[in-house]
Structures are given as C-alpha cells and as structure tokens.
Amino acid sequence: MTAFVPDPLTLALATLHPGALRVAVDGDLDFTTAEDLLTTAVAALDGGRLTDLHLDCGGLRICDSSGLAALLMIHRHATAAGTRLHLERRPPVLERMLHVSGTYEHLTGAPAAASRHSSTQD
C-alpha cells in the first residue's frame, strides 16, 4: 500500500506590470490549504487595484472541492472588484474538476465543449 504524502501549497506572487499580479500556485489545493490561496488572492484584490489576476496553476498537484470553492470565491471577489481572473497553465486534474463540476466556462470564460481538447492556456 502506498501512503499519500501531501504536497504543501506554496504561493509566489509577482507583479507582471502595474495592475497585473501573478500568483504561482504549487502543491495541493485542498481542504487544508484552500484558505491560504483565498486569503492571499482576496488581500491582493482588496488592496491592489488590480485589472488582472493571473493564477498560474502549472504546479498544482491536487484540487479537491475545497480548492474549487476557493477558486469560485476568488472569481466572485475578482468580478466584484472589476478584475479579470485568468486560470493559466491548468493541469489535467484541474481541467477535469472544472469540467465535472460544470464550472469550466464560468471560471475560464471559454466555452466548455469547444475548449475540452484545446490548449490549457488562458
């Protein structure tokens, strides 16, 4: 039997240009870590006067329902702030979660059926 070893979530913030922030998400986005991402993103949205928030999901290993809930809350805060949310470099585990939950189009802005076999770039 193989033991499950959680991969801690790390977040790295970088300003791309004035008004645009990238948050690189690495590790597991789950019940134990989703609040960290939500808190970081909401703080940036509340104080950053952002036009664009890029979540670079290239290092994401796991996304459970709590991770999805955090992404939906971030989208809600971004929309309220007038900020575009970009989910970039989505790994297959996140793509599947978005499609199965019916949130793909809502969170990415791309039609779900047309993008199912396209690039994971936003």
Side-chain angles (χ1 to χ4, degrees):
M1 184 168 156
T2 304
F4 174 76
V5 179
D7 192 6
L9 184 72
T10 60
L11 304 172
L13 283 61
T15 300
L16 300 177
H17 56 79
L21 178 70
R22 171 174 284 141
V23 179
V25 181
D26 287 295
D28 297 345
L29 184 58
D30 61 12
F31 177 76
T32 62
T33 62
E35 187 68 28
D36 296 340
L37 175 61
L38 179 59
T39 300
T40 299
V42 169
L45 289 165
D46 286 346
R49 297 182 184 224
L50 297 176
T51 58
D52 294 277
L53 175 60
H54 301 262
L55 295 183
D56 179 351
C57 301
L60 189 66
R61 196 179 82 142
I62 293 172
C63 181
D64 71 2
S65 60
S66 296
L68 177 61
L71 294 176
L72 289 166
M73 289 299 295
I74 292 167
H75 183 272
R76 181 180 296 171
H77 282 273
T79 300
T83 304
R84 286 182 301 260
L85 176 64
H86 307 270
L87 295 181
E88 299 175 336
R89 299 191 329 128
R90 297 180 298 272
V93 66
L94 181 56
E95 287 282 307
R96 185 175 192 290
M97 173 65 85
L98 296 177
H99 284 291
V100 168
S101 65
T103 59
Y104 187 92
E105 186 172 349
H106 179 70
L107 288 175
T108 68
S115 62
R116 211 168 199 162
H117 301 288
S118 66
S119 168
T120 58
Q121 295 295 315
D122 184 281

